[in-house]
Amino acid sequence: MDFEGRVALVTGGGQGIGASIALRLARGGACVAVSDINPANASETVKAIQAIGGKAIALRADVSSQADAEKMAEDAVTGLGGLHILVNNAGITRDRLLLRMTEEDWDSVMAVNLKGAFNSTKAAVKVMSKNRYGRIVNIASIVGLTGNPGQANYSASKAGLIGFTKTVAREFASRDVTCNAIAPGFIDTAMTRALPDKARESLIARIPLGRLGTAEDVAEAAAFLASDAAGYITGHVLSVNGGMSM
Ligand code: NAP
């Protein structure tokens, strides 16, 4: 996939899936704005991109703030000369069974996972729409499709993100801006590393491909949806889950 001449913005790009996506797009020739709430981590991803001869800048933004998201998109355009690809990857969990879930658990997850995608998309799509080209990839989750005990807030945010994806796809199709979602299954990152060994083993037993996914598995799917090759795909939810749900 050739991203030569394309500028990509990846939120939550300081580690995990976001860092792998940023690296993958850079490996394909994209200039990448790596955004994260933690600027030190964003700089680490930028260093990794520079080490393979790529071009990248680090940005600090809390995507739950509309002002931060607007500045992030502006800085990507100013710093790298355009904005063609947005990957809404920043996400958090605050897992608890519903009766123990606090208002803060609910609000914080919605603010980052759902409002964050709204804020970043609104800021970026202005540029894409004007230029009549854009690729937006939203990182949802298998639990946005299936639900999961202990994740009422998280699964609702990811189901909301899927509805958001389809609406953006419809609103901006006439401008050649596509919007798709990826629904990863269980991916081996900091988010899932806290799982006890027993829970991990029973999860793997439910995955036909017999292993947890890697951040690179998700990055390959994101690169495809962000590429010109996916130009006739919009409003789609692509499962990357080893067959865990079919
Ligand atoms: P991760 O390792 O925790 O990475 C998420 C990144 O987002 C971190 O760098 C985090 O920074 C950053 N972030 C958190 N809040 C932010 C905010 N308000 N603004 C900007 N950046 C923020 O998680 P991951 O596993 O790579 O997950 C990436 C995405 O994939 C998430 O949307 C997640 O829901 C989704 N996903 C993951 C899995 C999985 O199994 N891992 C499965 C399905 C979907 P700090 O950590 O420094 O705060």
Side-chain angles (χ1 to χ4, degrees), residues 45-246:
T45 305
V46 166
K47 275 189 213 151
I49 289 174
Q50 288 167 343
I52 57 163
K55 185 172 176 188
I57 56 171
L59 302 175
R60 191 246 156 232
D62 174 352
V63 293
S64 68
S65 150
Q66 194 158 80
D68 273 22
E70 273 168 19
K71 185 163 185 317
M72 168 181 80
E74 275 168 30
D75 288 349
V77 173
T78 314
L80 295 171
L83 185 49
H84 309 98
I85 297 163
L86 168 68
V87 183
N88 284 311
N89 165 80
I92 60 168
T93 51
R94 295 285 182 273
D95 297 352
R96 247 188 262 258
L97 291 171
L98 182 66
L99 290 178
R100 290 192 188 138
M101 191 169 281
T102 65
E103 189 177 2
E104 154 64 12
D105 292 332
W106 179 270
D107 288 346
S108 57
V109 167
M110 288 296 161
V112 178
N113 298 9
L114 190 51
K115 188 179 168 200
F118 161 72
N119 287 338
S120 307
T121 302
K122 196 173 170 197
V125 85
K126 285 181 202 157
V127 183
M128 294 175 175
S129 183
K130 213 166 162 190
N131 295 334
R132 294 180 177 270
Y133 182 89
R135 296 277 184 270
I136 300 169
V137 181
N138 294 326
I139 308 301
S141 168
I142 187 173
V143 306
L145 298 167
T146 63
N148 198 29
Q151 293 197 306
N153 49 0
Y154 183 78
S155 59
S157 74
K158 295 300 189 178
L161 186 56
I162 289 170
F164 177 71
T165 299
K166 294 181 182 185
T167 297
V168 172
R170 288 185 188 278
E171 285 193 17
F172 293 94
S174 64
R175 298 273 161 162
D176 216 356
V177 176
T178 66
C179 184
N180 293 288
I182 293 177
F186 283 85
I187 310 299
D188 194 9
T189 68
M191 200 177 254
T192 49
R193 244 161 247 158
L195 280 176
D197 283 352
K198 229 175 163 188
R200 192 173 262 262
E201 278 160 28
S202 83
L203 259 174
I204 292 173
R206 288 166 48 205
I207 303 171
L209 284 177
R211 63 171 176 88
L212 294 188
T214 63
E216 289 73 26
D217 290 325
V218 182
E220 288 301 331
F224 170 63
L225 291 174
S227 74
D228 285 352
Y232 200 57
I233 301 173
T234 197
H236 186 70
V237 184
L238 180 57
S239 287
V240 179
N241 64 23
M244 196 175 181
S245 84
M246 300 185 189

